Amino acid sequence: MLDATLRIVEEAPLDMNIPIYASLPASPIAEPPVVKSLAELLPVFRSKVPLLEADIDAALLVIDWRADLSETFRDPFRQLWLFGIGRHFQAPGRTGVVTNIREATGNHVQRCAVDFFYRPNVGKAPSQLPEAVVLALKDIAPRLEAKYSVVWGGTWRKPDYPHWEEKK
């Protein structure tokens, strides 16, 4: 089953994106494990992440939100599995395409990217990131990018608000 899943994802055209997610079959395998350990990151980037998180927290504190580290290193199989969501299969709690990076050359796989989960200090996080959080991140991101030599995914053509990576 694992080999068949990998083959389906690897052989699919890069531009394949089926908009009717409900018609896709369920994932044939369980979600590969999420890695949240800073120890899995490249040393130079690893040293920046706690400082970056503290600065994001300080910026979001004004609106009573915070950032929690949600993923660091991503093994190549997890990268392929995430790429398959919304294209070849559905996964519980996820809708649509999760990532556009299929190859094992993505920055998570290369150990120089992290994702943060943004949540309110009190209560449950809504399904959509509130505009106030996005605006706070847009305000602080240029300063953090310059200070830590990182890139925020929130300014990309298809914004990836949780994503921060080492500038190349």
Side-chain angles (χ1 to χ4, degrees):
M1 185 66 78
L2 180 63
D3 290 338
T5 302
L6 280 174
R7 193 171 57 256
I8 289 168
V9 173
E10 287 175 337
E11 293 174 358
L14 279 173
D15 61 351
M16 182 179 175
N17 187 357
I18 302 169
I20 305 172
Y21 309 113
S23 67
L24 295 173
S27 174
I29 60 166
E31 180 172 353
V34 175
V35 176
K36 297 181 182 182
S37 172
L38 290 175
E40 295 294 330
L41 297 173
L42 294 176
V44 172
F45 185 60
R46 178 188 321 141
S47 66
K48 297 175 183 181
V49 173
L51 303 171
L52 176 64
E53 184 174 6
D55 283 351
I56 294 169
D57 280 346
L60 295 179
L61 183 61
V62 175
I63 56 172
D64 208 23
W65 277 63
R66 62 173 292 123
D68 291 329
L69 189 63
S70 62
E71 187 165 24
T72 57
F73 168 70
R74 198 177 279 165
D75 72 37
F77 180 71
R78 178 170 171 76
Q79 186 67 42
L80 279 172
W81 184 84
L82 289 170
F83 180 81
I85 296 171
R87 290 182 173 86
H88 312 294
F89 52 83
Q90 299 180 66
R94 299 177 187 265
T95 56
V97 171
V98 174
T99 182
N100 289 310
I101 305 295
R102 172 170 59 181
E103 297 80 16
T105 57
N107 287 320
H108 282 283
V109 175
Q110 300 300 316
R111 301 173 188 268
C112 57
V114 296
D115 287 340
F116 290 108
F117 175 70
Y118 306 111
R119 64 176 182 83
N121 283 321
V122 177
K124 186 178 175 186
S127 59
Q128 294 271 343
L129 202 56
E131 186 177 350
V133 176
V134 173
L135 291 173
L137 291 167
K138 284 182 177 180
D139 182 55
I140 192 72
R143 292 189 295 275
L144 298 181
E145 288 176 325
K147 182 176 181 179
Y148 298 112
S149 190
V150 295
V151 175
W152 178 49
T155 58
W156 295 344
R157 186 174 53 87
K158 291 183 179 180
D160 185 354
Y161 298 119
H163 187 88
W164 295 80
E165 65 184 46
E166 183 79 17
K167 187 181 280 184
K168 299 206 175 183

